[in-house]
Amino acid sequence: MALQRDSQALWDQRIERARVLAETYPFAAQVLAFYQEVAAFQKSLLSGFQPASGNGKERAGDLPFQDCLDLASLLPRFPSFLSLVARVGTPVLAQAAEKLAREEPGHWEELLSACWKTGGSAAEGVEEAHVFFARAFLQPCAEELARRRATELPRFGSSTCAICGGKPQVGVLREEGHGAKRSLVCSLCLTEWDYRRVICPACGEDEFAKLSAYTASQFDHMRVEACETCKIYINTVDLTKNGLAIPIVDELAAIPLNLWAQENGYTKLQRNLLGL
Ligand SMILES: [Zn+2]
Ligand SMILES: [Zn+2]
């Protein structure tokens, strides 16, 4: 099916981008090497992936997004993801993977289902460390399901994803006319939607003086966009400065920006896949 081949190519591009970035930014090499392993697994998860078929009368595209996932068919793949992370993850993640691997499949199903319903954020009763497993495992399926929906996204949408309800992971600046327009990328289904430039996606502050952008010399195409009212920040990738960037991958390399923001009292709107 053509659509699936396209998705596979997307994951290949992300993996290749991570490899290139790891050479450019040695301080992020370890994080990006781990991401390449995770992304290769995410790509493999797509082969044979099928959306839930509802009651047989409706097509998956007609079901509410939250009901499109056939978790039962995916669950048998979860143990191989856990063993991958136990092998190549950080000590904290590896330990969490080993602990999760000893749980019953019913526990995995609860974890995945809870995170699916919240758009990939921490659900009540779910350990923070376990959100990584759920989000990484569900992300390719969410992206694939979102791509099949062809939902018309509103120009200047809300601060959460209109498709899955996820929080934005990263901002993007793209060329438009003589300037740049901003969009946000969903942390779960990776849908990108237009968003006004001068507004905080966390609290809605739109007073120019309360919104700051910070840059670091080693990343001329990335910046921290922070709000002085709620002290929340999001990293933004400026594609007008580097057209080769892939926002969700480049953002993983922005470790110094995250450290700087956190040392200066800002909290990230949504931690990335690797918990940074
Ligand atoms: Zn989404
Ligand atoms: Zn704010």
Side-chain angles (χ1 to χ4, degrees):
M1 189 173 162
L3 212 95
Q4 283 213 349
R5 272 205 304 277
D6 289 354
S7 328
Q8 302 265 328
L10 265 180
W11 288 99
D12 287 338
Q13 287 161 13
R14 291 169 186 155
I15 293 166
E16 174 58 15
R17 180 67 186 159
R19 194 190 61 73
V20 171
L21 285 170
E23 284 174 5
T24 317
Y25 305 116
F27 55 79
Q30 216 175 356
V31 160
L32 290 162
F34 178 53
Y35 172 74
Q36 288 176 70
E37 298 272 4
V38 170
F41 178 86
Q42 291 177 311
K43 178 188 164 191
S44 77
L45 199 55
L46 281 176
S47 52
F49 171 69
Q50 286 299 330
S53 52
N55 59 12
K57 291 188 199 116
E58 323 165 75
R59 292 177 308 118
D62 303 327
L63 289 170
F65 189 81
Q66 313 290 355
D67 299 337
C68 281
L69 187 69
D70 181 6
L71 208 45
S73 72
L74 283 171
L75 215 53
R77 311 283 297 273
F78 197 57
S80 54
F81 182 55
L82 293 176
S83 49
L84 169 76
V85 179
R87 206 171 63 245
V88 300
T90 59
V92 172
L93 277 180
Q95 209 177 21
E98 280 162 12
K99 193 170 155 232
L100 264 177
R102 290 193 293 270
E103 300 279 358
E104 297 290 324
H107 180 86
W108 304 334
E109 194 169 353
E110 273 172 39
L111 165 69
L112 294 169
S113 163
C115 287
W116 182 254
K117 289 193 186 108
T118 59
S121 296
E124 207 177 314
V126 173
E127 282 178 50
E128 175 85 31
H130 291 177
V131 176
F132 157 79
F133 295 94
R135 187 137 62 102
F137 189 76
L138 295 171
Q139 195 171 63
C141 313
E143 183 181 32
E144 192 58 34
L145 292 171
R147 278 155 53 86
R148 290 178 191 205
R149 292 186 86 76
T151 306
E152 185 110 8
L153 292 170
R155 176 98 170 127
F156 301 124
S158 75
S159 58
T160 51
C161 175
I163 294 184
C164 78
K167 288 186 194 170
Q169 183 69 76
V170 59
V172 183
L173 293 176
R174 291 178 184 276
E175 238 163 56
E176 186 183 56
H178 295 295
K181 65 169 185 173
R182 172 157 82 148
S183 47
L184 300 175
V185 178
C186 176
S187 56
L188 180 63
C189 76
L190 307 177
T191 293
E192 184 176 334
W193 68 94
D194 288 345
Y195 198 66
R196 277 168 50 206
R197 272 199 77 169
V198 184
I199 184 168
C200 164
C203 76
E205 177 62 76
D206 59 0
E207 197 182 316
F208 189 75
K210 298 270 173 60
L211 303 167
S212 325
Y214 301 97
T215 50
S217 55
Q218 75 258 57
F219 298 115
D220 59 349
H221 71 298
M222 275 194 273
R223 59 205 217 160
V224 171
E225 293 193 328
C227 172
E228 301 308 330
T229 302
C230 68
K231 292 283 177 187
I232 302 278
Y233 79 95
I234 186 165
N235 290 327
T236 292
V237 174
D238 188 345
L239 293 177
T240 70
K241 294 201 169 131
N242 186 340
L244 297 176
I246 298 180
I248 57 150
V249 185
D250 284 54
E251 200 277 325
L252 295 170
I255 299 169
L257 290 181
N258 289 320
L259 289 177
W260 178 89
Q262 284 156 23
E263 275 164 15
N264 283 276
Y266 299 108
T267 303
K268 202 171 190 181
L269 178 56
Q270 173 75 317
R271 286 171 184 265
N272 64 32
L273 193 59
L274 305 185
L276 303 168

